[in-house]
Structure formats: structure tokens, C-alpha cells
Amino acid sequence: MSLLLVGSSVFAQNKQETDILFVGNSFTYFWNMPQMLEAMAKSQGLNIKTTQSTVGGSTLEEHFNKKKNTQTIKLLDSVKYDYVVLQDHSLATIDNPKDFNKYSKKLSELIRKKGAKPVLYMTWGYHSNPLLQEKITPAYNNLAKELSSKVIPVGPIFMKGRQLRPDLNLYFDDKHPSPEASYLIALVFYKAFTGKSVMEIPDRLTTKAYDGEPLYLMFIPSETGNFLRQLVEGYEFTNLNSITE
């Protein structure tokens, strides 16, 4: 399988579907971000299937030790994935760096034993404290090097968008993403997992409900969509991860 993630090629060329498990909390599931990623891929004729193991406020330690009714270990034992995206608590790198490293490593080892590749999801600083990013970014990059893994640089792109467009509210509250920010996050994952341009991704994203009826995931103003797509397209992903496949 040949994929381009953060500087190499991440989309499976010899497989019609790429299966991704997202492990994390509300920083992943807010505004149906994984479903937006699926819809973006579908709009471009690609097939990405996402599954979530997400519980609000959860940590990777809780996912590994089956706390808070997390289903991560059960899913890894029963389903074959291509990639597993690991997203720890937004303050894990600041408040509990030992557990951040310990359980990222434990889960990564388990993921590889199951035949999948672990991927780190770098989060962003809070609205009230953007300086958090200065600790979050090196913590994820250093861990990725130690694990010989890849990191998706959502946080730095998020913070760059905030800097360039202070009029655009990327926060739902002090820490969670707004709908526009979740669209941005999905764009980052799409770019990382496919290596393809995001410029043709539509402003309206749809999926299907269980009864087959259309379900609208996102309506974003075209001027906002254009800015966010340009932001992702212009970002040098290789700046944050020198590991090559």
C-alpha cells in the first residue's frame, strides 16, 4: 500500500477503499468531522471509510485501558483498518506528558500488531491561550520521530488560519472547533491522506442517512471555503515531519 501522509504519498493506490479509525474525543467528533472527510473524498471520486472510537474528554490512557466505555481495543481486535488516528486530550502534552507518550506508544504498538499504521493528530491551542501551541507542536513532532510515525499538523494550520483571518471564528467555545474549523480539519486530513489538491472540494458536503435520504453535513460560504482551501493547499506539510516512508 502506497500512501502520502505529511510529505510522502498517503492514498492507497492498490485498494479501492481506505479504512481509517479515529481514536479520540470531541476534538475529533465535533460537527461530524470524520464524516466530512468521507464526503470530501467521495466528491473527488475517492473512497475513504471512517470509524470513530470517541468519547468526550477522553484520553489515550482511557482508550487503552477500556475506561469511559471506550471501544478502541474491541474495534482493533475485531476490525481490520489501514490507519488509526490517535488524538489525545487537548492538554495532554501540557498537563500529563508522561501518559501522552506512554499510551501513544502502547496504542501504536498494538495498532502495528493489528496490521494498521498509527497516525498522530496534532491539536491546537485554546482561544484564550494560543501559546499552548508552542508546547503541543514539539511534543507531537518529537513523539512522531520516536515512533517512526506520521503526524497530521492540524494545530499549526488552525493557528495560522486564526492569525491570518482574526475575523473568522474558528472556535465554538474556548477550545472546541466551530463548524468552519471542523471543515478546515477535514481538509487537512484529506490533503494528508490523499496528497491531492483540496481546491475542488465543495462548500456543501452531503452524505446519506440510514433511509437513503440526503443528509447535509456542511454549508460554508464560498469566500470562507476558498480561504480555508487556500490555507491548506499552501501549507508545507513536510515542515513538521521529516520522516519518510
Side-chain angles (χ1 to χ4, degrees):
M1 182 178 300
S2 174
L3 289 155
L4 172 105
L5 181 55
V6 190
S8 356
S9 170
V10 174
F11 193 74
Q13 300 297 325
N14 59 346
K15 186 171 181 288
Q16 289 187 341
E17 180 178 274
T18 298
D19 295 297
I20 304 171
L21 173 63
F22 282 88
V23 175
N25 53 46
S26 54
F27 272 45
T28 291
Y29 68 66
F30 244 57
W31 310 111
N32 305 301
M33 187 278 293
Q35 287 86 350
M36 279 201 270
L37 171 60
E38 284 190 7
M40 288 177 178
K42 185 177 180 181
S43 75
Q44 304 304 300
L46 304 176
N47 192 1
I48 292 178
K49 179 183 177 183
T50 65
T51 304
Q52 294 182 52
S53 177
T54 52
V55 176
S58 60
T59 65
L60 292 182
E61 182 273 328
E62 290 167 332
H63 282 276
F64 185 81
N65 289 315
K66 306 178 185 178
K67 298 178 181 178
K68 289 189 175 180
N69 198 33
T70 57
Q71 301 297 306
T72 302
I73 303 302
K74 179 180 178 180
L75 287 169
L76 289 174
D77 285 340
S78 60
V79 182
K80 168 68 175 173
Y81 298 100
D82 297 305
Y83 296 90
V84 180
V85 176
L86 299 176
Q87 178 254 307
D88 208 341
H89 190 277
S90 56
L91 293 178
T93 58
I94 290 96
D95 291 345
N96 205 343
K98 289 184 178 179
D99 272 4
F100 167 70
N101 283 276
K102 178 180 179 179
Y103 289 99
S104 294
K105 292 174 183 177
K106 284 181 175 289
L107 281 166
S108 294
E109 181 180 358
L110 177 60
I111 289 162
R112 287 193 166 106
K113 286 181 179 178
K114 299 298 181 180
K117 293 183 179 180
V119 177
L120 302 178
Y121 170 2
M122 185 192 298
T123 56
W124 54 89
Y126 289 4
H127 185 271
S128 60
N129 190 0
L131 293 176
L132 291 174
Q133 199 65 47
E134 295 181 4
K135 294 185 177 180
I136 294 171
T137 295
Y140 272 91
N141 284 333
N142 291 337
L143 179 61
K145 291 179 182 178
E146 189 173 349
L147 295 177
S148 295
S149 185
K150 298 295 185 183
V151 59
I152 308 291
V154 171
I157 297 174
F158 190 111
M159 302 307 286
K160 185 176 181 180
R162 174 181 178 178
Q163 179 184 12
L164 293 174
R165 282 284 305 275
D167 61 303
L168 180 60
N169 186 12
L170 295 177
Y171 293 88
F172 172 75
D173 51 22
D174 188 46
K175 56 185 179 180
H176 291 103
S178 67
E180 292 82 1
S182 288
Y183 179 91
L184 170 62
I185 295 164
L187 285 174
V188 175
F189 275 103
Y190 175 85
K191 181 69 176 179
F193 274 104
T194 70
K196 298 182 181 296
S197 172
V198 300
M199 296 310 294
E200 300 303 318
I201 299 296
D203 298 319
R204 296 186 178 190
L205 298 174
T206 64
T207 186
K208 287 187 177 180
Y210 287 111
D211 60 3
E213 288 295 307
L215 193 158
Y216 293 89
L217 293 168
M218 173 61 66
F219 292 85
I220 194 166
S222 60
E223 62 272 16
T224 301
N226 285 333
F227 167 72
L228 296 176
R229 289 187 290 270
Q230 290 174 32
L231 176 65
V232 173
E233 195 63 27
Y235 194 84
E236 293 292 337
F237 278 60
T238 53
N239 285 353
L240 291 179
N241 195 334
S242 61
I243 302 169
T244 58
E245 305 223 88

